[in-house]
Amino acid sequence: MIDGISSNGTATGSFTPVAFAGTTRMRIVMKYYSNPLACGNIADGEVEDYSVVSGTVVPPDPVTLATPGNIGNAGVYATGFYASWNTVSNATGYEVQLNNSTAGWTTFGTSATYYLWIPKQGAQTVYQFRVRAKNATEFSDWSAPLTINLQNGSAGAHQVDFTKSFTMYPNPASDVVNFNLLNLNLSTIKITIYDSTGAIIDVLENATSYPVHRLRKGVYIVVATDGSFTEHKKLLVK
């Protein structure tokens, strides 16, 4: 019990809990002008509950990888859907979580590529998923969640769209241009930037963006290739 507080500020204290294993609930009750009880009505005060986990706390790995972008689907069907995303540099795998009203965000599975098949769960038709990139020692922030409705999908057999494409945005650009790679492995893509005379300005590997503010204003040609796929795009720097 901490009492005698007569102004705004931080209250600190310590206590020794009863021994427990796993997870338990800790309740903090603040009441104006009198000592609070664990249960009951409080006219002026506040109650907060916290989950406390016993054991040694292991700090998480640092968030050092880029967050997967272009969260979408590679096919929605009556039997499930393909969650999809853009691959990121230095990632060796991707963790996919589903959100439900009972357990919240829970890990559904992992993938070493840019998609994961998520089959229909019972009678559920609406799903929300998110993705993060991982390797042996690092991970990214979670992507923004995306909602999928199987009722908007096809009733046919599921399949994946393997069409490859390379796009840039914004275009025109004045500060930074971003590269969007669909169904392309970032680690094998080489991006070459040429000026209007055909001279090479820069060659990029493992790049998802490029600063253009140091370039002269004008038109540039950007070529992305992985050996078997090549695409040319015009970039206007203003």
Side-chain angles (χ1 to χ4, degrees), residues 61-68 88-94 132-142:
D61 295 331
V63 175
T64 54
L65 297 179
T67 304
V88 301
S89 180
N90 298 321
T92 58
Y94 301 87
R132 70 173 178 177
K134 301 179 67 176
N135 61 29
T137 59
E138 304 167 298
F139 62 85
S140 72
D141 282 323
W142 288 103

Side-chain angles (χ1 to χ4, degrees), residues 26-56:
M26 178 179 70
R27 171 166 292 180
I28 297 178
V29 183
M30 178 186 69
K31 186 177 182 181
Y32 176 71
Y33 203 66
S34 63
N35 292 333
L37 300 175
C39 299
N41 297 324
I42 299 176
D44 296 304
E46 185 175 348
V47 178
E48 292 185 353
D49 286 342
Y50 298 87
S51 294
V52 180
V53 180
S54 65
T56 303

